[in-house]
Amino acid sequence: MITDNTSLQLEKVVPAADDFLPLLGTDYVELYVGNAKQAAHYYQSAWGFQPLAYAGLETGVRDRVSYVLEQDKIRLILTSPLDADGPINAHINAHGDGVKVIALWVDDATKSWQETTKRGAVSYMEPRTVEDKDGKVVYSGIETYGETVHIFVERKDYNGTFLPGYRAWNPEYKPTPTGLRYVDHMVGNVGWNEMNKWCEFYAKVMGFAQLVSFDDKDISTEYTALMSKVMSNGNGRIKFPINEPAEGRKKSQIEEYIDFYNGAGVQHMALATDNIIETVTALKERGVEFLYVPETYYDTVLDRVGQIDEDLAPLKKLGILIDRDDEGYLLQLFTKPVLDRPTMFFEIIQRKGAKSFGKGNFQALFESIEREQEARGTL
Ligand code: FE2
């Protein structure tokens, strides 16, 4: 196993004064889906997201319907088209359900657009101001890998429920939250030999720095191979690992994703919790399916990671993985794909000091993914 020797202290790498794209956090993640009403029910009932806002025919929108859900700092928008063609239909036709927008919360959406487009970003949306009785929001946007986009959201002059054009959505049905708190990182899968191109995009266009890299030597060639680099913005609030397929004896899980998504896109969203045992217990009770981890993983895991605060028994029962770096340890677990196509999934993560991404778990994880691919006949 190669050890992480990269600095995880990004504040020292990118002084705040030199950060031309200060990001305050993830504003929302928007998925284009075939049936937003039913998807919203799934994220409420299975994941404990709370209803927040709605836009559609009743609010004067004619071509789409959007449900907004939140859990602590995480906001999801689920959007479906109401017309027969148009860009949302085209996106769903090509990719199935998937992430269209990773929206970033900024102080100045106009400057964010200017700074990124002058460094080579392709504009998705020129800066525009949208107002309603609760104030105004400035948006702008740029394209990233595949058909995925970043929208910059400047909301400092807005006091409404969510964004202009949305009304509060307050149904009676409100299953309890499951303890999910914020987006820890969002991972992109890109095509063969495209990882460095997109890492350079985040470095040059958005001022990100590289935190960590893994290559195919980090994992046994017996398993489905990939290469990965983690890019982070200056204050470390936004982390985007980028994966590309690598040659192995079996078909790369990244290649399987690219085949079914028809190109690059978001592979997984990692959601943080302060109590992974409670969160995963609740998610499992509500029907969320996780990757299976062989019980033998727990025979040796403490030799590798040392002392941890939690009892091993509940971690083993739930299949929660453990990894350690120089600064602490982390607990993590991955769902099976949550869509019909084997594309997007979720990670649940609890950080106890560690700032890394669970490289020590790759092998156990890949064995598990490989079993799933075998069942799908795509290995
Ligand atoms: Fe992850």
Side-chain angles (χ1 to χ4, degrees):
M1 190 59 62
I2 298 166
T3 53
D4 282 350
N5 55 5
T6 38
S7 169
L8 294 164
Q9 312 237 323
L10 260 188
E11 286 88 340
K12 290 174 191 162
V13 180
V14 185
D18 297 339
D19 189 353
F20 60 81
L21 185 63
L23 302 174
L24 304 171
T26 306
D27 197 280
Y28 64 83
V29 176
E30 181 171 21
L31 291 93
Y32 282 175
V33 300
N35 187 334
K37 178 179 267 193
Q38 291 191 0
H41 190 278
Y42 167 75
Y43 284 104
Q44 282 185 270
S45 57
W47 289 82
F49 280 88
Q50 302 299 303
L52 178 66
Y54 168 85
L57 294 174
E58 297 84 348
T59 66
V61 179
R62 306 311 295 178
D63 67 337
R64 66 180 69 190
V65 57
S66 296
Y67 291 83
V68 186
L69 301 110
E70 69 175 349
Q71 190 161 178
D72 203 336
K73 294 189 175 66
I74 311 160
R75 281 194 293 245
L76 297 181
I77 307 182
L78 304 163
T79 295
S80 286
L82 293 174
D83 49 8
D85 40 39
I88 306 172
N89 277 296
H91 198 275
I92 294 169
N93 193 36
H95 306 301
D97 290 4
V99 171
K100 175 63 182 179
V101 180
I102 303 169
L104 301 168
W105 176 29
V106 298
D107 258 335
D108 188 336
T110 306
K111 181 168 178 284
S112 299
W113 184 86
Q114 288 165 343
E115 294 287 349
T116 49
T117 53
K118 86 177 181 198
R119 288 173 171 83
V122 176
S123 175
Y124 175 70
M125 183 197 295
E126 290 192 12
R128 50 185 273 236
T129 303
V130 183
E131 288 182 67
D132 68 10
K133 64 177 176 36
D134 294 313
K136 66 169 188 175
V137 172
V138 186
Y139 303 98
S140 63
I142 59 171
E143 296 183 4
T144 178
Y145 49 77
E147 290 197 276
T148 317
V149 302
H150 292 306
I151 289 183
F152 301 114
V153 182
E154 173 188 331
R155 53 166 69 249
K156 59 180 182 285
D157 298 320
Y158 194 70
N159 297 308
T161 303
F162 176 54
L163 289 170
Y166 287 84
R167 73 175 190 198
W169 172 39
N170 192 15
E172 270 181 45
Y173 182 66
K174 283 177 192 155
T176 54
T178 56
L180 298 170
R181 295 205 49 228
Y182 59 90
V183 176
D184 186 275
H185 58 277
M186 300 275 304
V187 181
N189 279 347
V190 300
W192 292 96
N193 306 312
E194 288 190 343
M195 176 182 68
N196 285 332
K197 172 184 140 185
W198 287 106
C199 289
E200 278 161 29
F201 167 87
Y202 280 107
K204 186 177 137 228
V205 168
M206 295 182 68
F208 283 34
Q210 185 181 321
L211 274 183
V212 197
S213 78
F214 319 105
D215 63 27
D216 46 352
K217 292 175 208 66
D218 288 339
I219 44 159
S220 162
T221 54
E222 201 175 325
Y223 305 112
T224 160
L226 62 76
M227 312 239 265
S228 186
K229 286 183 178 173
V230 181
M231 303 303 290
S232 171
N233 82 314
N235 61 21
R237 292 186 197 180
I238 305 293
K239 293 184 279 291
F240 292 147
I242 305 288
N243 299 328
E244 71 174 24
E247 292 288 355
R249 275 171 44 196
K250 304 280 176 67
K251 182 171 187 166
S252 172
Q253 55 173 287
I254 310 306
E255 192 180 1
E256 185 200 33
Y257 174 100
I258 300 284
D259 287 351
F260 280 91
Y261 198 75
N262 278 314
V266 170
Q267 178 209 40
H268 74 267
M269 229 183 285
L271 305 179
T273 170
D274 289 337
N275 188 330
I276 198 167
I277 292 173
E278 282 180 17
T279 295
V280 172
T281 299
L283 293 171
K284 280 196 160 176
E285 279 171 1
R286 297 172 185 215
V288 176
E289 295 184 309
F290 291 90
L291 288 178
Y292 166 79
V293 181
E295 286 194 2
T296 50
Y297 172 88
Y298 297 93
D299 295 346
T300 56
V301 68
L302 292 183
D303 300 338
R304 178 164 62 81
V305 302
Q307 251 343 90
I308 57 170
D309 302 334
E310 293 74 13
D311 288 335
L312 199 58
L315 300 179
K316 181 175 177 178
K317 180 168 165 262
L318 297 166
I320 293 166
L321 303 163
I322 314 154
D323 198 22
R324 182 178 285 280
D325 63 25
D326 293 345
E327 293 172 84
Y329 69 96
L330 63 83
L331 304 159
Q332 65 184 167
L333 183 53
F334 298 82
T335 71
K336 293 182 181 180
V338 294
L339 309 167
D340 290 320
R341 302 189 197 193
T343 51
M344 193 188 78
F345 58 88
F346 286 90
E347 171 181 351
I348 311 300
I349 184 166
Q350 182 179 4
R351 296 188 177 278
K352 304 202 78 166
K355 290 184 180 158
S356 51
F357 295 83
K359 182 162 71 176
N361 290 320
F362 272 25
Q363 182 142 335
L365 196 61
F366 283 17
E367 287 176 287
S368 181
I369 290 173
E370 188 181 323
R371 273 191 299 276
E372 300 280 327
Q373 280 184 278
E374 198 158 24
R376 294 192 284 263
T378 60
L379 196 58

